[in-house]
């Protein structure tokens, strides 16, 4: 078996960043730019007011008591060519273009209005509250660089630069194959020996939570021919294939055998971890294939630790999974065996505590946890108050 760290390195090495596509900026949130974006215009495209007040033509810094004659008004969006002469002012509003000759904005809070004149009550520096043309960016300058993840502010900036579409790295096409004769969909009556299937909805929701969509979920009985044919079809269509269950060594675990007969390139099988030891990773051409254990906690842990970083890297975000940090452990812990452990935990004001119910079949503990606590394979005793690596859920 390989270690968790070795497994992650091997997954990362085998991820290929996908190609690009052009999409509307309204659909680009969370996507990664596939090329540099250059501004189509100067921003702002004209000298404009940064405040509500008066645009004045002054011959230097304005002193307390200076008087200006108000000759008009300019609103934001006004397309007329206004002008002011020395000693004159125009009522102006935020974002409005400066009249020709105006060089300073005196904010409305520091003037006294008397008929057609304003008196300035405080000193004002020349060119105060004026946004120069191209102050934010000039036409042709780089606005956002290739590889930038697009945020809400990024979408706004793209629109300001004149873009309604943008070239981004594609998202992976993802297929999920769930195996098991004992699995029944919720909403149906259970017979003796059957259980409700939960891995598909948990994994689809996990993908969705991080901005990915599963194209289709296939449910397969424990039958070799059906397993083989389903995997063959989805591998041809997908960038990422996830198989849930059927990867262990039982007589009816057919996923491993089917993948072998499909001539996938096995990268590793079994990781020195708990839960989720029987984890399989392979490639076929540029398709990534993960076979996760069928136990629900094992499958979800495998997703967080290996599948999510791979999906992120494929769309240009780098091999990034859950956010991590170091917190003090609220109780001592003795690890049995030599496998690394991902323990369901709960972050508190004083650190992080290990929850009861760590079985790979138990989802109740996962459902109320907000962190995974990582104990390395070669760490046996962890003292209370000792810092541990935490993956935040």
């Amino acid at each position: 078996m390989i270690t968790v760290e070795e497994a992650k390195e091997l997954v990362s090495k085998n991820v290929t960043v996908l190609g690009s596509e052009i999409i509307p900026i309204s659909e680009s949130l969370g996507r990664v730019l596939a090329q540099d974006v250059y501004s189509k215009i100067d921003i702002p495209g004209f000298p404009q007011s940064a405040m509500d007040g008066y645009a004045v033509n002054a011959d230097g810094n304005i002193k307390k008591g200076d008087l200006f004659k108000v000759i008009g008004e300019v609103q934001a969006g006004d397309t007329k060519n206004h002008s002011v002469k020395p000693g004159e002012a125009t009522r102006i509003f935020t974002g409005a273009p400066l009249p020709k000759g105006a060089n300073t904005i005196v904010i409305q809070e520091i003037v006294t209005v008397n008929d057609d004149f304003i008196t300035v009550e405080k000193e004002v520096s020349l060119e105060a509250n004026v946004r120069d043309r191209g102050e934010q960016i000039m036409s042709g300058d780089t606005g956002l660089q290739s590889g930038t993840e697009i945020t809400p502010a990024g979408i706004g900036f793209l629109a300001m630069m004149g873009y309604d579409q943008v070239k981004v790295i594609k998202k992976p096409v993802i297929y999920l194959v769930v195996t098991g004769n004992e699995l029944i969909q919720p909403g149906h009556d259970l017979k003796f020996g059957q259980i409700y299937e939960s891995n598909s909805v948990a994994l689809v929701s996990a993908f969705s939570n991080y901005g990915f969509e599963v194209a289709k979920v296939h449910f397969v009985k424990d039958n070799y021919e059906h397993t083989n044919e389903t995997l063959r079809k989805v591998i041809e269509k997908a960038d990422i294939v996830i198989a849930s269950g059927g990867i262990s060594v039982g007589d009816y675990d057919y996923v491993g055998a089917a993948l072998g007969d499909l001539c996938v390139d096995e990268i590793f099988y079994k990781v020195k971890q708990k839960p989720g030891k029987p984890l399989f990773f392979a490639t076929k051409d540029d398709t990534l294939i993960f076979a996760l254990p069928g136990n629900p906690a094992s499958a979800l842990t495998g997703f967080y630790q290996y599948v999510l970083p791979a999906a992120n890297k494929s769309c240009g975000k780098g091999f990034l999974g859950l956010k991590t940090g170091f917190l003090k452990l609220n109780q001592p812990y003795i690890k049995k065996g030599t496998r690394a452990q991902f323990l369901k935990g709960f972050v508190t004001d004083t650190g992080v505590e290990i929850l009861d119910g760590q079985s790979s079949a138990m989802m109740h503990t996962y459902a109320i946890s907000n962190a995974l606590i990582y104990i390395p394979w070669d760490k046996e005793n962890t003292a209370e108050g000792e810092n541990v690596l935490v993956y935040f859920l």
Side-chain angles (χ1 to χ4, degrees), residues 87-356:
E88 292 182 337
T90 298
R91 182 76 166 108
I92 198 167
F93 299 92
T94 303
L98 257 66
K100 182 179 179 182
N103 53 21
T104 304
I105 304 297
V106 180
I107 63 174
Q108 61 190 22
E109 291 85 354
I110 63 169
V111 302
T112 299
V113 181
N114 187 5
D115 294 331
D116 292 336
F117 290 87
I118 59 169
T119 303
V120 182
E121 304 295 343
K122 290 183 180 180
E123 293 185 358
V124 181
S125 299
L126 187 68
E127 300 182 350
N129 305 310
V130 173
R131 297 172 182 159
D132 294 328
R133 177 170 184 158
E135 179 180 86
Q136 184 170 180
I137 192 170
M138 298 292 291
S139 176
D141 287 351
T142 303
L144 294 171
Q145 293 183 329
S146 177
T148 299
E149 184 174 345
I150 301 174
T151 62
I155 293 175
F157 190 35
L158 288 166
M160 289 178 68
M161 292 188 290
Y163 288 89
D164 62 347
Q165 294 182 319
V166 67
K167 182 181 283 190
V168 297
I169 297 173
K170 292 180 178 179
K171 286 185 178 181
V173 177
I174 302 167
Y175 279 80
L176 175 58
V177 178
V178 179
T179 69
N181 288 343
E182 75 280 15
L183 303 178
I184 300 297
Q185 291 303 307
H188 296 77
D189 292 333
L190 288 177
K191 296 178 181 179
F192 179 75
Q194 295 178 331
I195 61 173
Y196 286 125
E197 192 278 319
S198 62
N199 281 357
S200 65
V201 289
L203 291 171
V204 168
S205 298
F207 273 115
S208 177
N209 194 41
Y210 294 96
F212 299 99
E213 180 180 351
V214 174
K216 188 172 182 179
V217 180
H218 292 268
F219 297 96
V220 179
K221 295 297 184 181
D222 291 326
N223 172 280
Y224 173 78
E225 288 75 19
H226 191 195
T227 302
N228 182 287
E229 181 64 11
T230 302
L231 287 170
R232 182 187 65 79
K233 288 180 179 179
V234 299
I235 289 172
E236 291 175 354
K237 300 175 183 178
D239 298 306
I240 299 177
V241 173
I242 311 298
S244 168
I247 194 57
S248 194
V249 292
D251 291 346
Y252 299 97
D253 290 329
Y254 294 120
V255 171
L259 290 173
D261 290 343
L262 291 170
C263 299
V264 302
D265 295 319
E266 179 180 328
I267 307 301
F268 62 78
Y269 175 50
K270 294 185 178 179
V271 181
K272 202 171 186 176
Q273 68 179 36
K274 182 180 181 181
K277 179 179 76 170
L279 190 146
F280 177 91
F281 174 63
T283 61
K284 188 171 179 63
D285 299 323
D286 289 331
T287 300
L288 306 177
I289 304 162
F290 295 89
L292 307 177
N295 276 323
S298 298
L300 198 55
T301 300
F303 167 83
Y304 285 132
Q305 296 299 317
Y306 305 100
V307 180
L308 176 60
N312 277 331
K313 185 173 181 180
S314 73
C315 64
K317 296 183 180 181
F319 194 73
L320 300 175
L322 300 174
K323 292 183 178 180
T324 62
F326 285 91
L327 295 176
K328 294 184 184 300
L329 190 63
N330 284 348
Q331 74 262 56
Y333 182 73
I334 300 176
K335 180 175 66 65
K336 297 179 181 180
T338 59
R339 283 188 281 165
Q341 292 191 3
F342 293 99
L343 302 169
K344 277 78 76 179
F346 197 86
V347 176
T348 70
D349 292 339
T350 59
V352 62
E353 62 185 46
I354 300 170
L355 298 175
D356 293 332

